[in-house]
Amino acid sequence: MHNNRYTLLQENHKWPTIALLLTIASGILFAWWMVDQAEKETRHELLQQARLVAKSINIKQIQELSGTKADLHDTGYLQLKKQLARARQLNPNCKFLYIMGQRVGGEVFFFVDSLPTNSENYTAPGQIYSEVSPAYLQAFETRQETVVGPITDRWGILITALVPIGDPKTDEVVAMLGMDIGNSSWKWNILAKSALPVGLVLALLFILMAGLVASISQPKSSTKPIMYRLLLPLTAILVLLVAGFTAIVLSVQQRHFTQDNQQILHEASAHLANRLADQATTLATLGLLFTDNTAMQQALQGGDRHRLLTAYQSTFAQLRDVHAITHFYFHLPDRVNLLRLHNPEKHGDLINRFTMLEAERTGQVAAGIELGPLGTFTLRSVQPLFAAGKLIGYLELGKEIEDLLTTIHDEHNVELFVSIYKTALQRSQWETGMAMLGREANWGNFAEKVIIYSSFSHFPTACARFIAEEEHSHYSISPEVKFNNATWRVLVSPLTDVSGAEVGDLVILNNVSAAKASFARLLVINFSLGLVLLTALLGSLFILLRRTDLNIRQQQELLRQNQDFSQSIINTAQVIIIVLDTEGRIVNFNPFMEEVSGYSLAEVKGKDWIATMVPKRDSLRIRHLFKQAMSGIQTKGNRNTIRSKAGHDISVEWYDKTLMAEDGTLTGLLATGILLHPGAPEETHFDNK
């Protein structure tokens, strides 16, 4: 029977142990899942950043590259390199940023990278990527954006976002943009994102483990109600759980809010570069329509202003209405202006703009934005004109970029303004130009710059900080700025003309008031739901613990009644009941034993039973039987005599059972004895089992 008790104790410990192991396994699995989710989110963010950079790349500039060292002095190569360098500054974790191509034979090479030429990790144009991984080749083959890595090459252990750069007109993949993150930075990013949920889970896991271990190893039972012992720690767990879950949800929402805002601002900035490239192509295409016109060639060669004006005045009007062309020039081979169709009275001046000089140098179309003397940005395209292989002059088309800025304002729902360095302007000409355009000219408002365009009807004074150079950094999104009863995030991008010279800034402002209000509502909703959930859980916990305490009290009362009943039986039973320890010493016996033996319990407690109450003639046999009983061989019906305090021998028939502790350890022997009537044989024992 003692073996059954030990088995029962093992069963009692079995389920808490299983629960402990399942809790540990669940915590480990959840932590692994959270880290995996954090890595997926980090990959998505990296891909999104690379996608934004790819959208801002001028495809035409890549198409004009040869993919060799001959590109080192190409204007397009230098502009791309400068653009990549600035984009890399936006992301402190970005280690390398570059554009790759693939030759017909499958070789992968570099068009341009973001590092200066004196950098240890600089990659020259045309350099072959000899250790290219299969993941890169698969990206070229499938033409799908992806994140690969970690991959080890000569530049280290890297995780890379690959985004195809394609020609939207032909769907041809021209190149592949790569953005690299170092492995250590990558791991730290994942750790930072998963630290809160994983830490929360580990804390809960530790508390649960401590509770389960305590339930298994608790040496003594406590009479203190379960509610008093568990309500406070379980409440702390629930509060921590609900608060942590709410914090995780809000953290995720905050990251999404920030990412959405960044995407809006960067896409608006990239939109201007892409639209300028597209419209430069349009201007060049329009210019080509006039190259084979014999009448135009004759008038230009003859310097006939009147004939050109008469022939192209209506054409200019159509171009202005359809394509928003604002400038139409004919220049002589020596770059002297012959005719301005948009301002016929002015002519005869020498044109020294970069686009004109570039067209003269290359004999090909030169296009890009340039800052005019009136302080306006104009997208220009200069087309050299030839007759019989001889240069006869130039055709120049141009358009103000204000319509592009207005388009960005409307399509992206952002505000923007353009500031120009005063050193790039002449005050009198600029003020004249602003008056012609119907704009306010406030030369003295700022120390170093002037505003040439603003989508605001009245320029906010709070935006003055984005005019001064020391108050902002390029390509970084500012903290929140409040003005005009709204909250804004601001991105400042440098404005460069076609020559690559920085002449001012484009400032884009995104109104995040609605998004912040939505986030605030989400915060209130999450807090309210968390509070309701916490209240419900605590209420359920309180009811559960109260019911548990009530059940325990009922069971304790039933146990007490049973114990009282058992004790009354022991006290009144007309049989001997004695408890011995493992050494045979007396631990306890009942009142009937006191009555029969004449000894009180206090007299003999702790003394050797056999030496005290068994006659010497029986001591060896009884000690042998005791050892058998302690080894697990139960004895039934053993008969022997005991000697009373008065010296009388009393015949008793014995039955015994070993006593076990909760852990299965042998603690003693319980023996019951029945008095035999006089004349019964004293040594008729046996029935040993």
Side-chain angles (χ1 to χ4, degrees):
M1 189 170 181
H2 68 276
N3 289 331
N4 292 335
R5 184 181 182 189
Y6 183 59
T7 302
L8 180 61
L9 290 171
Q10 286 181 316
E11 289 292 325
N12 290 338
H13 287 174
K14 174 183 177 182
W15 294 112
T17 303
I18 292 175
L20 176 61
L21 294 176
L22 288 176
T23 302
I24 295 173
S26 300
I28 293 173
L29 285 175
F30 183 80
W32 172 84
W33 181 79
M34 287 303 303
V35 171
D36 183 65
Q37 290 298 114
E39 182 173 10
K40 288 179 180 178
E41 184 178 351
T42 306
R43 286 179 179 269
H44 174 74
E45 291 175 1
L46 176 60
L47 191 60
Q48 186 180 42
Q49 292 167 357
R51 194 184 297 128
L52 288 173
V53 177
K55 285 182 179 180
S56 68
I57 298 297
N58 187 334
I59 297 173
K60 184 180 178 182
Q61 289 179 329
I62 299 177
Q63 291 173 326
E64 292 175 350
L65 297 177
S66 64
T68 66
K69 289 187 178 180
D71 293 331
L72 284 171
H73 303 291
D74 182 85
T75 302
Y77 170 84
L78 296 175
Q79 289 180 350
L80 285 171
K81 191 172 185 68
K82 188 174 182 180
Q83 183 179 356
L84 292 180
R86 286 172 172 167
R88 189 169 66 88
Q89 292 175 355
L90 286 173
N91 187 352
N93 293 322
C94 178
K95 191 171 184 179
F96 303 115
L97 187 60
Y98 47 87
I99 298 174
M100 300 179 293
Q102 188 176 35
R103 304 198 191 280
V104 177
E107 274 188 331
V108 175
F109 66 95
F110 292 94
F111 276 117
V112 58
D113 75 344
S114 60
L115 298 178
T117 55
N118 60 355
S119 171
E120 179 183 356
N121 294 311
Y122 162 72
T123 304
Q127 179 175 321
I128 302 299
Y129 189 9
S130 57
E131 59 262 62
V132 62
S133 74
Y136 278 65
L137 296 175
Q138 185 177 8
F140 274 102
E141 181 180 349
T142 61
R143 302 181 179 183
Q144 297 293 321
E145 59 185 22
T146 184
V147 176
V148 300
I151 290 174
T152 303
D153 58 21
R154 76 188 80 172
W155 292 283
I157 304 175
L158 305 168
I159 292 84
T160 304
L162 298 172
V163 178
I165 301 174
D167 188 337
K169 297 178 181 178
T170 63
D171 288 333
E172 177 189 1
V173 174
V174 177
M176 186 76 69
L177 181 132
M179 178 180 282
D180 293 341
I181 302 291
N183 191 48
S184 59
S185 298
W186 180 262
K187 289 181 178 178
W188 277 112
N189 286 341
I190 294 173
L191 179 62
K193 289 178 180 176
S194 58
L196 176 61
V198 171
L200 177 64
V201 170
L202 291 179
L204 292 173
L205 180 63
F206 177 79
I207 294 172
L208 290 173
M209 286 174 58
L212 289 171
V213 169
S215 69
I216 294 173
S217 60
Q218 185 74 17
K220 295 181 180 179
S221 60
S222 173
T223 58
K224 193 174 183 180
I226 294 293
M227 179 182 293
Y228 296 150
R229 285 185 286 157
L230 296 183
L231 184 61
L232 185 59
L234 288 178
T235 299
I237 291 175
L238 289 177
V239 171
L240 183 62
L241 183 63
V242 173
F245 177 76
T246 303
I248 292 170
V249 171
L250 293 178
S251 175
V252 171
Q253 291 295 331
Q254 180 65 42
R255 281 204 299 270
H256 288 169
F257 168 70
T258 302
Q259 290 170 8
D260 291 344
N261 181 66
Q262 289 176 341
Q263 184 170 354
I264 290 172
L265 291 172
H266 287 302
E267 283 186 351
S269 178
H271 188 173
L272 177 61
N274 292 335
R275 290 296 294 271
L276 285 172
D278 292 342
Q279 296 204 8
T281 302
T282 300
L283 291 181
T285 303
L286 291 172
L288 290 173
L289 298 177
F290 303 100
T291 57
D292 295 330
N293 189 305
T294 304
M296 181 272 292
Q297 293 177 355
Q298 292 175 350
L300 184 58
Q301 285 178 305
D304 192 341
R305 297 181 64 256
H306 179 73
R307 185 178 175 186
L308 290 171
L309 180 61
T310 302
Y312 288 98
Q313 199 165 23
S314 61
T315 302
F316 172 56
Q318 291 177 352
L319 292 174
R320 183 177 55 211
D321 295 338
V322 177
H323 297 285
I325 302 299
T326 56
H327 298 69
F328 195 141
Y329 305 81
F330 285 104
H331 305 300
L332 297 174
D334 58 359
R335 294 185 281 110
V336 173
N337 175 254
L338 177 64
L339 174 64
R340 286 178 170 87
L341 282 158
H342 56 284
N343 187 11
E345 290 77 17
K346 184 178 181 181
H347 60 90
D349 52 319
L350 182 65
I351 307 300
N352 287 320
R353 289 189 292 268
F354 182 85
T355 49
M356 173 60 76
L357 297 174
E358 193 70 6
E360 180 185 49
R361 182 181 68 84
T362 63
Q364 297 178 349
V365 177
I369 59 170
E370 291 185 289
L371 184 64
L374 299 182
T376 58
F377 263 116
T378 305
L379 177 62
R380 301 180 184 274
S381 175
V382 180
Q383 171 72 54
L385 300 175
F386 296 90
K390 179 182 178 182
L391 179 67
I392 61 172
Y394 301 91
L395 171 71
E396 179 179 347
L397 298 176
K399 62 176 297 182
E400 305 291 343
I401 68 168
E402 182 175 343
D403 67 318
L404 294 180
L405 298 174
T406 302
T407 299
I408 294 172
H409 165 69
D410 295 336
E411 291 186 3
H412 295 275
N413 195 27
V414 295
E415 304 293 341
L416 37 82
F417 61 87
V418 176
S419 62
I420 300 297
Y421 291 111
K422 291 182 178 180
T423 53
L425 302 169
Q426 291 185 9
R427 178 173 181 175
S428 59
Q429 289 183 326
W430 177 76
E431 290 177 341
T432 301
M434 291 295 102
M436 289 174 56
L437 296 172
R439 299 176 189 167
E440 187 178 1
N442 292 316
W443 182 270
N445 280 2
F446 307 102
E448 298 178 349
K449 293 180 180 178
V450 293
I451 303 298
I452 67 167
Y453 172 84
S454 173
S455 61
F456 292 104
S457 56
H458 297 286
F459 186 77
T461 56
C463 291
R465 55 179 291 195
F466 302 107
I467 305 298
E469 285 299 301
E470 65 275 7
E471 295 293 334
H472 67 271
S473 58
H474 289 152
Y475 293 113
S476 62
I477 296 177
S478 74
E480 293 177 356
V481 181
K482 294 185 178 181
F483 60 86
N484 291 357
N485 297 320
T487 304
W488 308 78
R489 298 294 292 271
V490 184
L491 173 66
V492 182
S493 301
L495 272 179
T496 55
D497 63 14
V498 66
S499 69
E502 187 175 314
V503 295
D505 288 328
L506 171 66
V507 183
I508 306 173
L509 304 95
N510 183 33
N511 189 338
V512 297
S513 301
K516 281 184 65 66
S518 176
F519 183 77
R521 287 193 296 270
L522 180 65
L523 178 64
V524 172
I525 292 172
N526 279 334
F527 179 78
S528 301
L529 289 177
L531 191 60
V532 170
L533 178 62
L534 181 61
T535 302
L537 290 173
L538 288 177
S540 301
L541 177 64
F542 180 79
I543 293 172
L544 178 63
L545 292 179
R546 283 202 64 179
R547 288 181 177 177
T548 302
D549 276 339
L550 179 60
N551 290 335
I552 291 175
R553 284 197 297 271
Q554 291 174 345
Q555 292 173 7
Q556 287 175 339
E557 178 61 23
L558 181 61
L559 179 62
R560 185 190 63 77
Q561 293 175 359
N562 290 335
Q563 287 176 337
D564 290 346
F565 179 71
S566 299
Q567 190 63 43
S568 65
I569 292 176
I570 292 173
N571 291 338
T572 59
Q574 297 301 295
V575 295
I576 297 171
I577 300 175
I578 186 169
V579 178
L580 306 177
D581 64 14
T582 56
E583 301 298 324
R585 292 184 291 263
I586 299 171
V587 176
N588 198 4
F589 52 62
N590 65 341
F592 184 72
M593 177 62 176
E594 290 184 338
E595 181 182 341
V596 169
S597 67
Y599 290 104
S600 68
L601 177 62
E603 288 180 88
V604 294
K605 187 173 183 178
K607 293 183 178 180
D608 185 276
W609 155 254
I610 296 174
T612 304
M613 294 192 179
V614 176
K616 291 183 179 180
R617 65 177 182 273
D618 296 331
S619 61
L620 291 177
R621 179 174 62 84
I622 299 304
R623 198 170 295 279
H624 174 71
L625 291 174
F626 175 77
K627 290 181 179 179
Q628 282 187 324
M630 294 305 296
S631 65
I633 301 175
Q634 190 173 2
T635 301
K636 294 181 180 180
N638 172 52
R639 294 179 180 181
N640 66 276
T641 58
I642 61 172
R643 181 157 294 168
S644 68
K645 184 176 181 180
H648 304 297
D649 288 345
I650 305 167
S651 297
V652 182
E653 183 175 279
W654 294 98
Y655 298 84
D656 64 56
K657 183 183 182 308
T658 51
L659 300 176
M660 312 290 286
E662 288 186 358
D663 60 358
T665 305
L666 187 66
T667 61
L669 185 72
L670 172 65
T672 58
I674 301 173
L675 296 182
L676 297 175
H677 56 278
E682 293 184 0
E683 297 184 6
T684 313
H685 51 88
F686 306 51
D687 209 1
N688 291 347
K689 297 182 182 178

